[in-house]
Amino acid sequence: MTVALAPSLLSADFARIAEQIAQVEAGGADYLHLDVMDGRFVPNLTWGPKIIGDLRRLSARTFDCHLMIVEPERYVDEFRKAGADIITFHYEATPHAQRLLTHIRSLGAKAGISICPQTPVSMLQDVIEDCDLVLVMSVNPGFGGQRFIPRAFEKLREARALIDERNPSCILEVDGGVGKENLRAVVDAGARAIVMGSSVFGTPDPSATLREMRALLA
Ligand code: DX5
Ligand code: ZN
């Protein structure tokens, strides 16, 4: 079983971002998770394609871009050009998810769709074959360091069953409130890509922390 560890740069120190990226790479990060926020879909702001393009020069790891923005269809081309490998948008942010998933694939990126805590997994029934990744949010998106919402375990199991039945190569990712204490449990519930922000960058040695996370999955 392959599990991708995806440290979220939201909790990194951007004044020394090159060092922080090198630390998580040394610790075995598979993806770099990049949270794009617009102050409208979520009550917070982060960065756009320029920053992702600059970061691209620092790392060859998979760039896992999580768009928490309204009208994501307006921006996916820019994020692809900037170097995004996976582009995930929110189900709640567009009325044309199937079209957008297909478009992201046509750009040569993996197409991901994310659901907020209030959105049932069943809303993905009609697009699951069009997804390369499903992201189950285990907090309300917008901020790092929030508490994991336990209902996400059941949603991961439901998403796992849908993926196994209809699109087994689709990656199931979880994001929000994951750390050493529940890492094993989210994997047991079916997650295969694990986003972790504060539980990695909030520790003195992010590299050692990621290695400990990996050891917990052995
Ligand atoms: C929250 C973001 C997450 C965030 C997770 O909206 O999507 O990626 O960085 O942070 P933690 O792991 O601290 O909950
Ligand atoms: Zn995220």
Side-chain angles (χ1 to χ4, degrees):
M1 178 178 66
T2 312
V3 175
L5 298 181
S8 166
L9 297 192
L10 184 65
S11 292
D13 177 358
F14 264 74
R16 47 189 193 93
I17 195 62
E19 181 194 337
Q20 297 257 275
I21 288 175
Q23 285 173 326
V24 290
E25 287 195 350
D30 300 286
Y31 305 165
L32 295 183
H33 184 81
L34 294 154
D35 290 297
V36 177
M37 303 186 187
D38 65 354
R40 293 185 63 205
F41 184 72
V42 289
N44 196 5
L45 294 157
T46 55
W47 48 73
K50 164 73 165 67
I51 302 291
I52 288 177
D54 287 357
L55 295 175
R56 188 71 279 185
R57 301 204 300 274
L58 296 176
S59 176
R61 296 298 153 98
T62 297
F63 269 26
D64 174 29
C65 291
H66 177 194
L67 304 184
M68 285 159 277
I69 62 176
V70 298
E71 299 182 294
E73 52 280 346
R74 291 177 59 191
Y75 299 101
V76 293
D77 291 52
E78 285 302 307
F79 284 104
R80 177 60 181 154
K81 267 187 228 142
D85 299 299
I86 302 170
I87 302 177
T88 299
F89 63 90
H90 268 265
Y91 168 86
E92 302 86 0
T94 176
H96 301 296
Q98 199 277 343
R99 176 189 288 159
L100 188 52
L101 289 163
T102 304
H103 179 67
I104 293 169
R105 281 181 165 177
S106 80
L107 300 173
K110 282 193 157 84
I113 192 162
S114 181
I115 50 173
C116 286
Q118 91 278 11
T119 302
V121 171
S122 60
M123 300 314 273
L124 303 179
Q125 285 277 358
D126 292 331
V127 294
I128 192 66
E129 282 90 356
D130 303 297
C131 301
D132 299 305
L133 182 145
V134 164
L135 170 54
V136 171
M137 287 306 300
S138 39
V139 298
N140 286 292
F143 302 94
Q146 302 182 83
R147 192 187 296 259
F148 185 91
I149 297 172
R151 169 73 189 160
F153 286 125
E154 185 54 29
K155 293 178 75 174
L156 286 170
R157 283 190 285 270
E158 287 175 20
R160 180 81 263 154
L162 180 64
I163 286 170
D164 286 349
E165 188 193 340
R166 306 258 305 275
N167 183 3
S169 61
C170 181
I171 300 160
L172 180 56
E173 185 172 58
V174 64
D175 184 4
V178 179
K180 279 179 200 162
E181 65 293 345
N182 56 4
L183 174 62
R184 180 83 234 178
V186 294
V187 171
D188 288 346
R192 295 293 177 267
I194 319 294
V195 180
M196 290 178 289
S198 50
S199 62
V200 169
F201 287 108
T203 65
D205 186 347
S207 188
T209 303
L210 262 191
R211 279 192 291 271
E212 285 170 39
M213 301 288 195
R214 183 74 70 189
L216 289 173
L217 298 176

